[in-house]
Amino acid sequence: MADGPRQRSSTAGSAKDAAGGDKESGSGGGVALKKEIGLVSACGIIVGNIIGSGIFVSPKGVMENASSVGVALIVWIITGIITAIGALCYAELGVTIPKSGGDYSYVKDIFGGLAGFLRLWIAVLVIYPTNQAVIALTFSNYVLQPLFPTCFPPENGLRLLAAVCLLLLTWVNCSSVRWATRVQDVFTAGKLLALALIIIMGVVQVCKGEYYWLEPANAFEPFQDYDVGLIALAFLQGSFAYGGWNFLNYVTEELVDPYVNLPRAIFISIPLVTFVYVFANIAYVTAMSPQELLASNAVAVTFGEKLLGVMAWIMPISVALSTFGGVNGSLFTSSRLFFAGAREGHLPSLLAMIHVKRCTPIPALLFTCLSTLLMLCTSDMYTLINYVGFINYLFYGVTVAGQIVLRIKQPNMHRPIKISLIWPVIYLIFWAFLLIFSLYSEPIVCGIGLAIMLTGVPVYFLGVYWENKPKCFDAFVDKLTYVGQKLCVVVYPAETKSENDEEGEEGEEMKLARASEDDGDNNHKAADC
C-alpha cells in the first residue's frame, strides 16, 4: 500500500495487483473472500433475511388494504407462489452468471453499465438502508414495548436502540465471516421456533373452535369496500414480508459449490417460508379480529398477550431476537452488493477492498451501516415499506426480463439450470399488474421512488462514464482511498482461479455478445467514482 491506492480492473471484478495467490484454494499467498457458506448457512441466509420483521409488521398493512381476512390470506398465498417463481428465475441466473452482486450483476451484464448502476444507485440510497432501518426499528419496538404497556415507546429511544443494534452487528460482520454466519444460523433457528409457537397456538385455538374468521361466510366479509388499487398495495405489503428471497445471490462467490448449493438453498427455503407465513397469519386471526389486528402496533405481542397469559413476555423477546438476526443477514448480504458495485467501478474503490487478515469487506460494511443510521431519521415504517416494495418489484421485473433477453441473445450459453420460459412470463404479468395499480393508487410515493432512481443518471455519466476527470479530483480521491486503506487495513482481493475459470469463459461470452451495444461503456469507466 505504500504506493498509494491501486487501480480497479474495469471488468474482472478484483484487482490484479493485489497480493497474488488464492486463499480459498489453500495456496496461501493472497487475500481473498473465503468460501465459508455451506448449504445450511445458505438456507439460514435466505430464511433469516425473509423472516426479519415483515411477518410481525406487515400483517397489519396486508389486512388493512385487503379489506377482509379471506382476501388477506389469499394475498399471502399468492405472494408466496410468485416469490417461488421469481426464485426459480434467479436460480437460473445465479448459476448462469455466477457472480456476487445478485440482480445488480445480472442487470449490468445483460443490459449494460447504466442499467446496472441505476439498480445499484437506488439500492444505495433507498432499498437496503430502508430495509435495515425498518428491521432495526422493529427490533427496538418489540424490545421497548413491554416497558411502555399503556403508550408507544418514545421515538428517540427507538432510534437509539436501533443504532446500537446496527453498530454491534456491523462490528460482528467486520470481525469474521464465520461469526456472522453463525449468528445468522442461531437467530434463524430462534425465529423459526418463535413462529412455530405462534402456529401451534393457532392450531390449539382451532381445536377449541376459535375459527370464526376462517369460516368462508365471515372470512370474506369486508370491513371496507374492496378496491383493486388497495389490493395491489396489499400485495406490496406482503412482498415486503417475503423480501430477501434473492439475497443469497449477492454472496455467490462465498458459497461452497454454488452450482449445487444456490438452487438447493432456494428450493428448500422458499416453500418453508411460505408455509410458515400462511399458517402464522391463520393463527393470528384465530385470536384477533381484523379490528384488533389493525389497532395493534406489534401484532405478535398482542397475540401473545391474548393466549400466553403470564408467559406473554416470550413473544416480544422472540420477535426481538428474530429481527436482530434479520438485521445481521441484511448487513451481511447488502455489504456484498456494494462490494460488487465498487469492484466494477460503480462505487468508490475503497468499498471493493477487504481486510488483510479477516478477509471481510470492512469499508463496504461501514458504508452500509452509515447509510442505515442516516435512514433512521425517518421512523414511519409503513411509508418506508411502500418505497422498498415498489422499487424492489421494479428491479425484480427488470432482472427477470433480462433472463428472457439472455435466452434470446445467448441460446447456447451454458446453463446448469434451465427452466421453462413460462415461469418468467407469469412473473412479469403479475409484476406489471402490481406496478400499474401501485402507480394508480400511490402515484406520489411511486413517483418519488422513480425520481430518486433517475437522479443516478447524471451521477453515472459524471462519476463512471466520464474518464478524463481533473487531475486534482483524481488526486483527492486517491488520497482519501489511501487514508481509508490505512485506517481499515484493507487491500484489493486477489483473483481466484479455482472456482472462476468457468465464470471467466462465460463472462467472455457475455462480453462478446454485448460488445457492439456497450462499446463505449467500459472504455469510459472512471478509475474512481
Side-chain angles (χ1 to χ4, degrees):
M1 293 195 298
D3 295 326
R6 302 172 179 83
Q7 294 299 308
R8 270 192 300 265
S9 167
S10 61
T11 57
S14 32
K16 298 181 179 179
D17 55 355
D22 187 351
K23 194 159 191 154
E24 296 159 339
S25 61
S27 56
V31 177
L33 292 172
K34 297 180 180 179
K35 290 185 178 294
E36 293 188 343
I37 303 175
L39 179 59
V40 173
S41 292
C43 292
I45 287 173
I46 296 177
V47 175
N49 274 290
I50 295 177
I51 307 176
S53 64
I55 187 60
F56 307 111
V57 177
S58 287
K60 179 177 176 180
V62 171
M63 183 72 70
E64 184 177 21
N65 290 299
S67 302
S68 71
V69 171
V71 174
L73 291 176
I74 290 173
V75 167
W76 284 107
I77 294 171
I78 293 178
T79 308
I81 293 172
I82 295 299
T83 298
I85 293 174
L88 280 175
C89 300
Y90 270 65
E92 177 181 317
L93 286 169
V95 296
T96 304
I97 308 173
K99 297 163 61 176
S100 290
D103 36 23
Y104 157 71
S105 294
Y106 312 148
V107 169
K108 183 186 71 66
D109 283 2
I110 296 170
F111 295 110
L114 177 58
F117 180 82
L118 291 178
R119 172 67 179 108
L120 183 65
W121 177 252
I122 201 67
V124 169
L125 289 187
V126 177
I127 294 177
Y128 295 104
T130 298
N131 182 57
Q132 286 151 196
V134 167
I135 301 174
L137 286 169
T138 305
F139 165 78
S140 302
N141 186 60
Y142 275 87
V143 170
L144 297 179
Q145 187 76 33
L147 303 178
F148 298 88
T150 60
C151 62
F152 295 123
E155 285 197 10
N156 289 336
L158 290 172
R159 295 176 187 177
L160 180 60
L161 185 56
V164 171
C165 168
L166 286 164
L167 291 171
L168 175 61
L169 287 174
T170 299
W171 175 79
V172 170
N173 278 266
C174 288
S175 298
S176 169
V177 172
R178 189 177 299 275
W179 287 11
T181 56
R182 291 298 176 268
V183 167
Q184 191 66 22
D185 294 345
V186 170
F187 282 93
T188 296
K191 66 184 67 180
L192 286 175
L193 289 174
L195 286 167
L197 176 61
I198 291 174
I199 293 171
I200 291 171
M201 295 302 298
V203 172
V204 171
Q205 285 288 97
V206 171
C207 292
K208 291 180 177 179
E210 300 290 340
Y211 48 81
Y212 175 83
W213 292 105
L214 297 177
E215 296 176 351
N218 302 316
F220 292 95
E221 180 181 347
F223 49 82
Q224 64 182 8
D225 293 337
Y226 288 119
D227 182 88
V228 176
L230 289 177
I231 291 175
L233 286 179
F235 278 107
L236 272 180
Q237 296 283 354
S239 73
F240 172 78
Y242 283 98
W245 56 266
N246 61 327
F247 276 20
L248 187 62
N249 293 67
Y250 293 150
V251 296
T252 303
E253 294 172 27
E254 295 174 75
L255 278 174
V256 176
D257 196 0
Y259 293 105
V260 174
N261 286 330
L262 176 63
R264 279 184 182 175
I266 290 173
F267 298 153
I268 292 171
S269 302
I270 303 301
L272 173 63
V273 172
T274 302
F275 172 84
V276 169
Y277 272 14
V278 172
F279 281 90
N281 278 277
I282 290 174
Y284 284 147
V285 296
T286 64
M288 290 181 282
S289 67
Q291 291 74 21
E292 289 176 310
L293 194 148
L294 293 176
S296 174
N297 190 48
V299 176
V301 170
T302 304
F303 179 86
E305 289 172 349
K306 294 177 81 63
L307 298 184
L308 295 178
V310 294
M311 301 298 291
W313 57 268
I314 293 176
M315 195 52 60
I317 290 178
S318 299
V319 176
L321 294 177
S322 171
T323 50
F324 186 82
V327 175
N328 178 73
S330 185
L331 281 171
F332 183 84
T333 52
S334 60
S335 64
R336 269 55 177 184
L337 171 63
F338 302 153
F339 169 86
R343 201 174 57 175
E344 297 292 344
H346 287 174
L347 286 175
S349 60
L350 182 64
L351 302 184
M353 299 182 189
I354 64 175
H355 193 270
V356 294
K357 292 183 179 179
R358 296 167 182 165
C359 299
T360 55
I362 290 178
L365 283 161
L366 294 177
F367 176 78
T368 305
C369 179
L370 178 61
S371 61
T372 306
L373 290 174
L374 292 174
M375 190 61 70
L376 284 176
C377 295
T378 302
S379 58
D380 186 350
M381 286 188 284
Y382 294 99
T383 300
L384 296 178
I385 288 172
N386 285 338
Y387 278 117
V388 171
F390 176 77
I391 299 298
N392 260 345
Y393 256 92
L394 176 65
F395 277 102
Y396 288 166
V398 171
T399 305
V400 173
Q403 180 187 12
I404 299 175
V405 171
L406 191 60
R407 285 282 193 93
I408 296 171
K409 288 186 173 181
Q410 294 289 324
N412 299 321
M413 192 175 188
H414 175 61
R415 293 174 173 86
I417 296 176
K418 189 173 183 178
I419 66 172
S420 170
L421 285 181
I422 189 65
W423 299 117
V425 170
I426 291 174
Y427 186 89
L428 289 174
I429 291 173
F430 180 83
W431 171 78
F433 157 79
L434 199 62
L435 289 188
I436 290 172
F437 283 103
S438 297
L439 283 167
Y440 172 77
S441 299
E442 294 282 351
I444 296 177
V445 170
C446 298
I448 291 174
L450 288 172
I452 294 173
M453 180 187 69
L454 293 177
T455 60
V457 175
V459 176
Y460 173 79
F461 283 103
L462 290 174
V464 179
Y465 190 84
W466 181 25
E467 183 179 26
N468 299 317
K469 297 183 179 67
K471 290 184 179 180
C472 60
F473 177 81
D474 287 336
F476 175 72
V477 172
D478 286 348
K479 183 63 176 178
L480 287 181
T481 305
Y482 177 72
V483 171
Q485 283 186 274
K486 286 290 189 180
L487 289 174
C488 297
V489 195
V490 292
V491 295
Y492 285 110
E495 287 195 58
T496 60
K497 297 293 186 182
S498 58
E499 294 283 349
N500 292 339
D501 288 339
E502 292 182 31
E503 297 176 22
E505 293 172 7
E506 291 165 4
E508 287 301 320
E509 187 177 355
M510 184 78 71
K511 290 171 196 172
L512 289 172
R514 287 183 45 222
S516 60
E517 303 170 19
D518 300 312
D519 189 46
D521 194 333
N522 287 334
N523 291 333
H524 292 84
K525 189 178 293 182
D528 286 292
C529 182

